[in-house]
Each structure stands twice: as structure tokens, then as C-alpha cells.
């Protein structure tokens, strides 16, 4: 992974680290920037800084310690954290013991940094975000997703576990809309990750803590801002989900994310967050307004060059809408498996296709498959066709 080359190249940096304290925030900021430079050189997705531990990088999904670096002291980590927070962010941290910070190093990359408390010491986790927005072709996003984004209204939900690339997929789809349509796009993010420039569309980006107080607060007023497309960085709570569904119902295209692992559980999650007496009404709203759901996970490429996303795609066809309305979401799995003509695919079908194309290994795909028995059968069927 060229890790050690990068570390050796920064030998003078390693020797310059203070053993206890920086005295002020300037040197802390300099050292934090150098850690980020190493992370970018190593093509890491995340940088972890923890007291009494050397820096750690996440590369191709695995945590790799920079063992040649000395362990960081609690004071060093604290000073680096303080050096990148403004007063509002620091006040939020003291209240909640956790805060997200958007950060940028010119000509290098943008970063989404989370600062938190653990064992009465500060910890830092930073996600690396390149300046260039990946295209849908770069990410291998199925064509059906761009078809869904071409719809004038409705709700599109992008799901997956933390760190699976939901924000990147979301940004690529927004960039596609930005290039193809003359729309007004409003994004609500925590923090802003990819920075979009206006192309065919007008795009405004709002960041929690700087431009608005919360997702729900921003959504309450978004209708007065004349939007066509609304991106919600995360549908975290009942109020945000309710407002997202309402926005789709009132004629807007809404893209949001949820931390769910598949398309069917996403529907259940949206409905179950509401009180029992409202759930039938929400089912009816989804029946009318849901456009589609994309769930994804990352798998190592067979050639070792990185990771690639496998996608489960559910399109809200009349059959799917009917099952949502009748509270029979458990039957959607069969529609998902047989909906190829509508662009649908299950996660195991996507993984089997990647194996068939020699993009990922059979073993790696099997390890993350939803139903190993079904996955093996799908791979066997593709091999027979070949």
C-alpha cells in the first residue's frame, strides 16, 4: 500500500513531534495536516488519532497502524482537536462530547472530522474526501439509479452501513442532476463533504451548525427556497423522516440516507419510526411517493487496487407499492429477485455478477453475501451460462 514509503518520506516530521504539548495550536494544526497528507498519500479512507496509540489508517477496509510513528499523548490529540474547532464547534463538543467538523487543506483534499470523548480523553476520526466528485461510471452505480434521479418528484433513499460510501454515491447522483437538468438543488449536510459548483443547475449547500441548526429546522423552511431537488445528508429522527416524506409528497425530488443494511428493512425502518397510530398513513404516503431504494456495501477488488460497491436496487413498481400498502414488505424479496426488467437486483445478485466479471473474488463476496446459499446458487447459474 506504499504506507512505509510515505512514512519514511516524512521521517523529519516524525522526529519533530512534541512528546507532551505543543504550547499553542499552530504546531498542532501543522502536525494534524501532515498526518492527513500521509493518509492521502497512502490512499486511506480514514485517519484515526487516539491517545497512547500511534496513528492508524483505514486502507481497503482494514485498520493499519503506523508502527514507526511514536504513540500520541492525550495532550497531543487534544491540541490537534482544539486547533481545528471554532468556538461554536467547541461549545457543542463540551455539551455533547462529540462534534463533526468540516476541514480542508487547499490543493490536497477535504475532510469530515469527528471529535469525540473516550476514557476522558479526546479522539479524532477523519474521513478523506477528494475535491473531485466521482462520476456514476467511476463508482459503478447502476443505470437505473440515474433513471430514478431523472424523475421530477418522489423519495429516493440510499442506505448501507457506516463507511460504505453512501455520501459519495449521493454526491455522484447530485452531480449527475447538476449536469443534466436546470433545477434548484438544496443540500443539507453535517458537515458539507463534496463541494458542488453550479453547472446546468443552481445548487446551494447548507451545513449544520454554520448555516442551520438541524436537518428538521432546515426542512421546515426549505419550501420557501423554491427547490426542485433536496438532499438530506442523514434522515436521523422522526421529524426529519416525516419532513422528507412530506417534501416528496409536495412535488420535490428528495434524496436521503439511512443506516440500514438492505432495501426491505429500510421501508420497515421508515414506517416503524412513527407512532403506531400514524403508521398506516405513512404506508399510504410511501405507496404514492417512494421512487426507489439503493442499498450498498463495499468489497475488495480481486486485483488489490481498492474496493468496489455492490448494490441492491429496489424500484417502487405497482407490485412493490401494493405490498407496502398491505403491510407485506416481507414479500418484496421475491419481487426484488424477479424484477430485472425494471432494473431491480438483490445484493446477492450484484455480488454474483461482480464475481462473474472477475472484479471480486468468490471468497470475499461469499463473506458479505446476505444469503450464502442463494449466492452460491447464483454464481453456479452464471458459470453454467458462461
Amino acid at each position: 500500500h506504499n504506507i512505509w514509503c510515505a512514512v519514511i518520506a516524512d521521517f523529519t516530521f516524525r522526529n519533530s513531534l512534541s512528546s507532551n504539548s505543543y504550547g499553542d495550536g499552530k504546531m498542532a494544526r501543522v502536525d494534524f495536516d501532515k498526518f492527513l497528507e500521509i493518509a492521502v498519500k497512502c490512499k486511506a479512507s480514514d485517519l484515526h488519532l487516539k491517545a497512547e496509540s500511534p496513528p492508524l489508517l483505514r486502507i481497503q477496509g482494514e485498520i493499519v497502524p503506523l508502527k514507526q510513528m511514536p504513540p500520541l499523548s492525550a495532550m497531543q490529540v487534544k491540541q490537534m482537536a482544539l486547533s481545528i474547532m471554532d468556538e461554536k464547534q467547541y461549545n457543542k463538543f463540551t455539551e455533547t462530547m462529540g462534534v463533526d467538523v468540516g476541514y480542508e487543506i487547499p490543493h490536497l483534499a477535504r475532510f469530515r472530522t469527528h471529535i469525540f470523548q473516550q476514557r476522558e480523553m479526546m479522539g479524532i476520526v477523519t474521513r478523506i474526501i477528494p475535491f473531485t466528485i466521482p462520476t456514476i461510471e467511476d463508482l459503478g452505480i447502476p443505470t437505473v439509479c440515474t433513471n430514478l434521479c431523472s424523475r421530477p418528484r418522489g423519495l429516493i433513499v440510499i442506505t448501507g452501513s457506516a463507511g460504505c460510501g453512501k455520501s459519495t454515491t449521493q454526491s455522484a447522483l447530485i452531480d449527475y442532476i447538476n449536469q443534466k437538468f436546470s433545477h434548484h438543488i438544496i443540500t443539507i449536510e453535517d458537515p458539507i463533504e463534496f463541494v458542488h459548483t453550479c453547472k446546468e443547475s443552481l445548487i446551494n449547500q447548507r451545513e449544520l451548525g454554520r448555516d442551520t441548526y438541524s436537518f428538521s429546522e432546515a426542512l421546515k423552511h426549505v419550501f420557501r427556497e423554491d427547490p426542485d431537488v433536496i438532499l438530506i445528508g442523514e434522515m436521523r429522527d422522526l421529524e426529519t423522516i416525516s419532513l422528507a416524506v412530506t417534501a416528496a409528497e409536495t412535488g420535490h425530488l428528495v434524496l436521503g440516507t439511512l443506516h440500514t443494511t438492505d432495501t426491505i428493512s429500510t421501508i420497515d425502518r421508515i414506517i416503524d419510526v412513527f407512532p403506531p397510530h400514524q403508521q398506516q398513513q405513512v404506508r399510504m404516503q410511501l405507496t404514492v411517493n417512494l421512487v426507489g431504494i439503493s442499498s450498498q456495501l463495499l468489497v475488495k477488488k480481486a486485483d488489490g487496487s481498492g474496493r468496489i460497491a455492490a448494490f441492491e436496487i429496489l424500484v417502487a413498481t405497482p407490485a412493490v407499492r401494493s405490498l407496502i400498502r398491505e403491510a407485506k414488505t416481507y414479500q418484496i424479496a421475491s419481487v426484488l429477485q424477479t424484477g430485472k426488467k425494471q432494473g431491480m437486483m438483490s445484493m446477492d445478485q450484484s455480488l454474483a455478477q461482480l464475481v462473474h466479471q472477475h472484479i471480486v473474488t468468490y471468497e470475499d463476496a461469499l463473506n458479505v453475501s446476505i444469503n450464502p446459499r442463494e449466492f452460491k446458487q447464483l454464481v453456479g447459474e452464471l458459470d453454467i451460462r458462461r
Side-chain angles (χ1 to χ4, degrees), residues 47 71 138 177-178 208 251 312:
L47 165 69
D138 292 336
I177 296 171
N178 191 14
L208 265 63
E312 178 172 284

Side-chain angles (χ1 to χ4, degrees), residues 188-385:
I188 308 164
E189 305 172 69
D190 182 26
I192 291 171
E193 297 187 12
F194 290 93
V195 176
H196 295 266
T197 57
C198 298
K199 297 175 183 175
E200 292 298 315
S201 292
L202 166 66
I203 184 163
N204 286 299
Q205 296 182 260
R206 305 188 68 190
E207 180 173 317
L208 265 63
R210 292 183 182 274
D211 307 308
T212 184
Y213 292 111
S214 66
F215 287 111
S216 58
E217 187 67 25
L219 286 168
K220 287 176 184 177
H221 304 288
V222 74
F223 304 116
R224 296 185 178 182
E225 295 159 13
D226 187 32
D228 299 295
V229 180
I230 304 167
L231 179 145
I232 306 169
E234 187 177 343
M235 300 196 298
R236 293 176 175 173
D237 51 39
L238 168 60
E239 188 175 16
T240 303
I241 293 173
S242 177
L243 289 166
V245 173
T246 300
E249 193 171 38
T250 54
H252 303 87
L253 183 66
V254 180
L255 282 74
T257 66
L258 275 176
H259 290 291
T260 46
T261 56
D262 59 64
T263 57
I264 298 171
S265 66
T266 300
I267 297 171
D268 293 333
R269 169 75 178 277
I270 292 172
I271 294 168
D272 290 345
V273 77
F274 288 85
H277 68 277
Q278 293 183 8
Q279 289 182 3
Q280 186 55 37
Q281 176 188 345
V282 175
R283 288 185 186 280
M284 296 303 297
Q285 288 178 299
L286 287 179
T287 297
V288 175
N289 300 302
L290 182 66
V291 172
I293 302 172
S294 171
S295 183
Q296 65 186 68
L297 57 81
L298 295 178
V299 193
K300 290 181 182 178
K301 289 184 178 180
D303 61 6
S305 63
R307 294 186 293 172
I308 189 169
F311 294 90
E312 178 172 284
I313 307 294
L314 178 68
V315 179
T317 61
V320 171
R321 296 177 189 276
S322 177
L323 292 172
I324 294 173
R325 183 174 57 252
E326 297 170 8
K328 296 180 179 178
T329 53
Y330 59 90
Q331 294 183 12
I332 292 177
S334 60
V335 179
L336 191 66
Q337 293 170 349
T338 58
K340 185 177 180 180
K341 288 184 179 179
Q342 291 79 29
M344 289 191 265
M345 70 174 73
S346 70
M347 183 60 73
D348 288 333
Q349 287 172 332
S350 178
L351 289 168
Q353 191 65 42
L354 291 173
V355 172
H356 179 65
Q357 295 170 346
H358 305 292
I359 297 174
V360 304
T361 66
Y362 173 84
E363 292 76 15
D364 285 339
L366 179 63
N367 286 338
V368 297
S369 63
I370 306 300
N371 186 329
R373 183 177 178 180
E374 179 184 329
F375 169 75
K376 291 177 182 179
Q377 183 178 350
L378 289 167
V379 172
E381 290 174 358
L382 288 173
D383 287 341
I384 291 172
R385 292 174 192 171

Side-chain angles (χ1 to χ4, degrees), residues 44-110:
S45 62
D46 300 87
L47 165 69
H48 293 252
L49 299 180
K50 179 181 183 292
E52 302 172 2
S53 168
L56 302 103
L57 303 179
R58 184 177 290 278
I59 300 177
Q60 296 187 21
E62 297 181 359
I63 293 291
V64 181
L66 297 179
K67 295 180 180 179
Q68 294 188 14
M69 292 273 188
L72 298 168
S73 69
M75 181 58 70
Q76 286 176 316
V77 177
K78 179 179 180 179
Q79 291 287 355
M80 281 189 273
L82 293 175
S83 74
I84 62 171
M85 285 191 284
D86 60 25
E87 185 177 354
K88 287 184 179 179
Q89 292 162 343
Y90 177 74
N91 290 337
K92 182 177 180 181
F93 175 80
T94 57
E95 292 174 8
T96 64
M97 296 297 179
V99 66
D100 291 313
V101 177
Y103 191 67
E104 179 178 325
I105 299 178
H107 311 297
L108 183 66
R110 287 181 56 79

